[in-house]
Amino acid sequence: MGLPLEISTSAVTGASMILPAVILRRIEDFNRRLPSVSDVVAFVLIVGSVTALAAVGYTLALSAAGALGRGEFGPVSWRLFVGNFIGIIVIAPAVFILQSPPNRPFRWRWVVQLLAISAALMIIFGYREATAFQLFYLLFLPLLWVALTSGSSGAIFALVVIQCGLVIGAEFRFGADPGLTALQVLMIALTITGLLVGAAFTERETTAARMRDQQISLSRALRLRAAGEIAAGIAHEVNQPLAAIRAYASVAEGQLQMGDTEAALGILRKLSLQSARAAEVIKSIRELLHQGAINPHPADLTVMLQEFAELVAPELASNGAQLTIEVSPGLPPISVDRVQIIQALHNLVNNSAEAIASTGRRGAVQIRTAMRDNKTVSILVADNGPGFPVGFSHKHPTPFFTTKDEGTGIGLSIARTVAEMHGGRLLTKSDLSGASVEIILPAAES
Ligand code: ADP
């Protein structure tokens, strides 16, 4: 063709290889291993358009140099396009994969699949009565099998094998028959189908794997959150006895300095009671965590509540809240973990006292027990404070909801957990007279 023509046509061919690479590298999340349908679409469209342009450019150069006969422009550029396009879309992905081959254990299935591809090729080229094109569709079967079992990388290699088989088969069967282009067009359809199906399969596998990973990190996050919740719970429960111990210790110190040993001894006894309470709280939380269960014993609710009132009434009174207890007679026996229930009540009564204190007025907290129906007993803690704040959800209570500067938002959650572990539940309500929280417990079976 002469040197200038050789150089210009080679430049066009070279550009048709380099340009798609340059464009694809600019697409931000394009993955050259073609693991997703969008990668395949971008790859095929860009390579297709550039090779089409290059084929036209090449043919223009040929005709400008007078190397083309009349009416040859169309067929020549078409053949160039088909040849280059199929070459690139079959070979380039395989080269990209070979740069860092996937590390997969050998499978006998691959051998069988290779045999299936060879069998299809043999039928296509060995069946003398039909033209090769008539039986070409047979190749779709093994290709789809590979794509649906090994994803995009499998499909890419199967396509290389098929392409080699087609070249060898066509050479034997047709020699240098120009009708080969028709076979190549079929091969383009086969290649695009294989790449798309393989990518769709890989995409599905990747999504499944990502879901599994997310599940694992989610459950880790939930565990961490549970741990955080428990830590906050312990801090919440132990804070009160600790504060009391600190206060008693300083009072006792003052009394000892004044030489009043008798009074100091009384205070120290109270201090020791509070430290026992803290220890008991920690022990019961530990048991709750260890067994995820409670340790119920038959209990007399009336006695339990009276003891509880004696414990907390003085503290409440000093905060401007008066505690009263109203027990309905003839309650059925119940079986409870005493420490847990007292803890739950403590949280509720404290909340009431704090709600009352926030109004700056004196108020009242009432604990009422009642039979709800034949099977359940309720312990109601009601106050005449401002009621639950706006934003508090009675239907879907959330742990950590707090309106207090130093609140943890965990007190109600703990009370609810305690009620639920007893097979009961916790209801919250606000009305004009204030807030009320009801612990509903199942009566013990006779
Ligand atoms: P905390 O007391 O640490 O805030 P809780 O879970 O015990 O955590 O309470 C969550 C929130 O519910 C409180 O911050 C408060 O806004 C509201 N609340 C609880 N009990 C009452 C009550 N008796 N009256 C009004 N609001 C209450």
Side-chain angles (χ1 to χ4, degrees):
M1 290 194 289
L3 194 61
L5 191 54
E6 286 286 0
I7 291 179
S8 54
T9 49
S10 300
V12 170
T13 308
S16 77
M17 309 280 164
I18 293 170
L19 199 59
V22 172
I23 299 174
L24 287 169
R25 284 181 75 119
R26 280 173 188 270
I27 299 182
E28 204 164 292
D29 40 357
F30 174 72
N31 184 334
R32 58 174 113 169
R33 300 168 76 90
L34 307 184
S36 77
V37 172
S38 56
D39 292 324
V40 173
V41 171
F43 178 68
V44 168
L45 282 184
I46 289 169
V47 172
S49 1
V50 174
T51 43
L53 283 177
V56 173
Y58 192 109
T59 326
L60 277 178
L62 284 184
S63 70
L68 280 189
R70 235 170 207 276
E72 275 186 327
F73 191 92
V76 167
S77 51
W78 172 246
R79 227 191 287 169
L80 275 171
F81 162 68
V82 171
N84 279 340
F85 185 39
I86 188 72
I88 296 177
I89 61 174
V90 170
I91 303 300
V95 173
F96 293 145
I97 296 227
L98 282 178
Q99 281 180 331
S100 51
N103 193 8
R104 292 209 196 143
F106 173 81
R107 289 190 197 287
W108 281 104
R109 192 184 63 218
W110 298 346
V111 177
V112 184
Q113 288 173 333
L114 199 63
L115 288 176
I117 293 174
S118 316
L121 285 166
M122 276 192 301
I123 296 174
I124 290 173
F125 292 110
Y127 199 66
R128 289 271 156 194
E129 283 77 57
T131 67
F133 318 128
Q134 276 174 338
L135 293 174
F136 189 86
Y137 62 84
L138 279 179
L139 281 172
F140 279 89
L141 298 176
L143 176 66
L144 290 180
W145 181 22
V146 175
L148 288 172
T149 48
S150 302
S152 36
S153 53
I156 286 168
F157 283 111
L159 284 165
V160 172
V161 172
I162 292 176
Q163 176 76 9
C164 294
L166 282 178
V167 171
I168 296 168
E171 194 64 36
F172 273 116
R173 176 88 193 265
F174 308 113
D177 184 349
L180 218 78
T181 309
L183 202 64
Q184 283 182 310
V185 174
L186 286 174
M187 183 62 197
I188 289 177
L190 186 75
T191 304
I192 295 176
T193 309
L195 290 179
L196 283 175
V197 174
F201 178 81
T202 301
E203 214 166 33
R204 211 190 60 187
E205 297 271 283
T206 320
T207 314
R210 199 177 310 135
M211 297 261 288
R212 271 196 304 277
D213 284 356
Q214 271 172 358
Q215 209 104 42
I216 291 170
S217 45
L218 184 70
S219 74
R220 194 177 304 136
L222 282 180
R223 272 207 305 276
L224 272 182
R225 202 185 117 161
E229 218 164 301
I230 291 160
I234 296 175
H236 184 269
E237 298 301 331
V238 172
N239 242 349
Q240 279 158 356
L242 278 185
I245 288 170
R246 215 178 305 127
Y248 284 140
S250 80
V251 174
E253 194 185 345
Q255 281 164 338
L256 283 177
Q257 272 164 356
M258 290 190 304
D260 192 348
T261 23
E262 198 57 32
L265 268 180
I267 293 289
L268 283 176
R269 249 175 250 124
K270 286 186 179 171
L271 186 151
S272 130
L273 273 181
Q274 288 294 335
S275 82
R277 191 179 130 207
E280 206 169 352
V281 165
I282 289 181
K283 186 172 149 236
S284 70
I285 289 181
R286 206 168 53 202
E287 277 171 6
L288 199 76
L289 290 179
H290 264 291
Q291 312 154 359
I294 46 166
N295 192 10
H297 291 289
D300 184 333
L301 209 50
T302 313
V303 177
M304 214 171 96
L305 287 179
Q306 262 148 9
E307 281 174 8
F308 172 70
E310 273 164 37
L311 191 75
V312 295
E315 202 178 311
L316 285 186
S318 65
N319 285 324
Q322 198 196 352
L323 179 72
T324 53
I325 292 196
E326 204 182 297
V327 209
S328 73
L331 283 180
I334 60 170
S335 183
V336 291
D337 186 322
R338 212 173 149 277
V339 177
Q340 305 279 356
I341 294 286
I342 296 275
Q343 232 176 71
L345 286 173
H346 219 279
N347 292 353
L348 303 184
V349 168
N350 263 334
N351 276 344
S352 289
E354 282 167 358
I356 288 168
S358 74
T359 62
R361 283 180 275 115
R362 301 185 67 78
V365 183
Q366 196 179 42
I367 303 184
R368 266 198 313 263
T369 59
M371 195 65 199
R372 266 194 134 227
D373 48 47
N374 274 346
K375 294 197 184 100
T376 50
V377 175
S378 99
I379 311 174
L380 184 86
V381 178
D383 63 64
N384 59 358
F388 282 93
V390 187
F392 181 91
S393 166
H394 295 280
K395 256 196 182 153
H396 305 287
T398 38
F400 303 119
F401 173 91
T402 182
T403 48
K404 301 169 194 166
D405 286 343
E406 302 209 336
T408 56
I410 202 106
L412 278 177
S413 297
I414 290 178
R416 175 168 296 103
T417 309
V418 168
E420 284 167 2
M421 295 196 81
H422 282 81
R425 64 212 156 92
L426 186 111
L427 294 181
T428 56
K429 214 169 72 186
S430 268
D431 53 33
L432 286 180
S433 54
S436 65
V437 184
E438 197 176 4
I439 300 179
I440 300 168
L441 298 171
E445 298 192 351
S446 55

